[in-house]
Amino acid sequence: MINRRLLIFLLCSILLPLYALAEDITFSSGYTRVVMKGENRTVELTENVTVKSGQIDIKANKIIISGENYSYLQCIGNVQVIDHERDITLNTSMLSYNRSTEFITIDGWVEMQDSKNEVSVSSAWLEFDLNGGILRLQLQTKILKSTSKGPMVCKADNVTYDRNSEKITLLGNAEVEWYNDTYKAQKL
């Protein structure tokens, strides 16, 4: 009986701080493991993992939740992020997400759909400030933008995309194909 009470107390003391953030967080998985080392607490979720934080849904094979107020998520394997507020979907194999700053980092292949702005993005590296609406992309970056004159295809080594102003800056081997024209430069 004491072991059961202790287990319930430990789980409550670990999981209740998840609700201390401005954005609630909920999760489900086939397997949950909790690790406590001193002040550090980590929740490791595997097998059909789903995490919901505010308007953001994340699915992955494995998600590790850690940090102060459990603000850091490390997502591994078949990662999909759906941001219902911003109308964005991300697909990748590995992703880091800071819930406090709403900052996403992806060091690997990523594909993004921005349905609000009718933009598709693919790249090998991404940093995304969700609050500011700024994406930084590197390596084999390609952006497809739907326009009234047909699709615009943008390619470059480094790209900055401001979702709010819909401004795209291309650096290094920059190329834009649009409306039967091709533009090439080091910076566009």
Side-chain angles (χ1 to χ4, degrees):
M1 186 67 147
I2 293 174
N3 288 340
R4 186 174 183 187
R5 287 183 185 167
L6 179 61
L7 178 62
I8 291 170
F9 171 76
L10 287 173
L11 283 174
C12 287
S13 68
I14 291 167
L15 298 178
L16 283 178
L18 291 174
Y19 298 102
L21 291 171
E23 295 285 342
D24 288 341
I25 183 171
T26 59
F27 57 82
S28 65
S29 66
Y31 178 78
T32 302
R33 180 176 146 206
V34 178
V35 178
M36 295 185 343
K37 292 182 182 178
E39 295 292 318
N40 298 323
R41 296 180 185 139
T42 302
V43 177
E44 184 176 305
L45 309 165
T46 55
E47 299 177 19
N48 299 317
V49 182
T50 302
V51 172
K52 182 168 180 61
S53 177
Q55 292 294 311
I56 297 175
D57 294 333
I58 303 172
K59 294 180 182 182
N61 294 344
K62 179 178 182 178
I63 297 179
I64 300 168
I65 305 170
S66 63
E68 185 177 338
N69 295 320
Y70 297 96
S71 60
Y72 301 108
L73 278 68
Q74 182 67 37
C75 309
I76 303 162
N78 297 315
V79 181
Q80 181 182 53
V81 177
I82 300 174
D83 186 333
H84 299 282
E85 179 183 344
R86 296 171 184 92
D87 209 7
I88 294 172
T89 302
L90 290 164
N91 291 293
T92 187
S93 61
M94 187 177 288
L95 172 141
S96 297
Y97 174 48
N98 184 325
R99 294 185 329 114
S100 298
T101 61
E102 291 203 315
F103 199 83
I104 292 175
T105 304
I106 298 173
D107 190 6
W109 193 253
V110 58
E111 294 179 356
M112 183 187 94
Q113 297 295 321
D114 179 349
S115 297
K116 176 187 167 197
N117 294 321
E118 298 181 320
V119 172
S120 295
V121 175
S122 61
S123 186
W125 182 88
L126 173 142
E127 278 187 346
F128 191 178
D129 176 359
L130 293 171
N131 287 327
I134 305 293
L135 281 99
R136 290 181 182 80
L137 306 129
Q138 292 181 356
L139 305 171
Q140 299 177 356
T141 301
K142 183 176 183 180
I143 297 178
L144 302 171
K145 168 77 173 141
S146 178
T147 72
S148 61
K149 294 183 179 181
M152 177 186 295
V153 179
C154 305
K155 300 176 188 176
D157 295 334
N158 296 291
V159 175
T160 301
Y161 169 47
D162 184 334
R163 289 189 69 242
N164 300 325
S165 68
E166 294 189 67
K167 181 180 176 184
I168 299 171
T169 303
L170 308 169
L171 295 171
N173 298 313
E175 180 178 320
V176 175
E177 296 174 14
W178 182 51
Y179 197 56
N180 298 320
D181 287 317
T182 300
Y183 307 92
K184 292 183 180 185
Q186 283 304 305
K187 180 178 178 179
L188 290 173

